Amino acid sequence: MARKTLIAGNWKMNETYGEAVVLAQEISNGFYDDWVETVDVVVCPPYIDLKPVKTVFEFDKRKVGLSAQNVYWEASGAFTGEISVPMLKEVGCAWCIVGHSERRTLFGETNEDVNKKAKALLAGGLAPIVCVGESLAVRDDGTYLAYVKAQVEAAFAGIDEADARRSVVAYEPIWAIGTGRTATPEQAQEVCAAIRETLAGLYGAEAADAMRVLYGGSMNEGNAALLLAEADIDGGLIGGASLKAASFIQIVKEAL
Ligand code: PEP
């Protein structure tokens, strides 16, 4: 089945409010509206930049989706420093990354947290971009397929098929994130296919076939075409290269 390509730029903790406006404007200036027929383009700025970035795209009538990088599962209350699904919704987010490896390794996010966040997002009408991926040690000991399978199963525990279909999985091997060491198309395809097989085990082949599986990890304008040509890679989650409008735009062009 034909799955629409999704290119998402994860800005991480980069771009002040003013810088974010400039970057969004540069992306908007290089964006062609008819691209949206073949590719969904999404940016994931820091929380504080969501509103100004939204305003830039809205003013220019660009259909660039807005995603947060994290969320808390409670709707409101005494959770100092956290941001909820209703808050993201009101600011115009349709997407949210959950389980990014930096959240898992630096901030102790567990599979259970990822599951709660995904459920809260889906209940609020937002689509989670669920990140999974193994460390170099797990890759080297050869258990990476089982490791990623377990992460996917944990993330989707208790999520029904209709909600799963609205979700996206991003395979991001930790050894490839921000390291310049991209997975080869074959390595990325192997795991993305295993993720789809895992989803098929949970929801059936038809649902799995409809769901998007992205690759992330040092994707750039030079390697995107080969990665995106793989059968089970339906797009990219891009960190570093999404901070340069020209690179990000070029990756979108490679996806057309
Ligand atoms: C990411 O943070 O999701 C990512 C893939 O980063 P980079 O492209 O910089 O490796």
Side-chain angles (χ1 to χ4, degrees), residues 8 10-12 97 100-102 131 170-173 176-180 215-220 237-242:
N10 175 14
W11 295 5
K12 310 196 187 194
I97 297 171
H100 191 281
S101 63
E102 287 150 18
C131 297
Y171 168 55
E172 298 209 309
I177 296 179
T179 58
Y215 167 77
S218 298
M219 190 186 265
N220 58 41
L237 181 55
I238 297 119
S242 73

Side-chain angles (χ1 to χ4, degrees), residues 172-241:
E172 298 209 309
I174 297 171
W175 47 272
I177 296 179
T179 58
R181 182 182 161 189
T182 319
T184 64
E186 295 74 24
Q187 287 173 321
Q189 164 61 22
E190 181 193 30
V191 183
C192 289
I195 289 170
R196 198 175 309 285
E197 207 177 289
T198 304
L199 295 169
L202 295 172
Y203 300 110
E206 200 212 315
D209 203 36
M211 290 177 67
R212 290 185 283 193
V213 180
L214 314 182
Y215 167 77
S218 298
M219 190 186 265
N220 58 41
E221 60 271 51
N223 57 32
L226 281 178
L227 287 158
L228 295 172
E230 293 292 338
D232 287 290
I233 301 179
D234 307 315
L237 181 55
I238 297 119

Side-chain angles (χ1 to χ4, degrees), residues 117-142:
K117 291 179 182 196
K119 280 179 174 159
L121 287 162
L122 288 160
L126 276 73
I129 301 172
V130 178
C131 297
V132 295
E134 80 285 0
S135 64
L136 192 55
V138 172
R139 167 133 307 241
D140 287 345
D141 75 18

Side-chain angles (χ1 to χ4, degrees), residues 47-67:
Y47 289 134
I48 201 167
D49 298 338
L50 288 167
K51 181 67 180 164
V53 166
K54 173 86 182 159
T55 303
V56 169
F57 292 131
E58 245 170 26
F59 187 81
D60 288 354
K61 299 191 171 52
R62 298 294 190 221
K63 290 198 180 102
V64 177
L66 199 63
S67 171

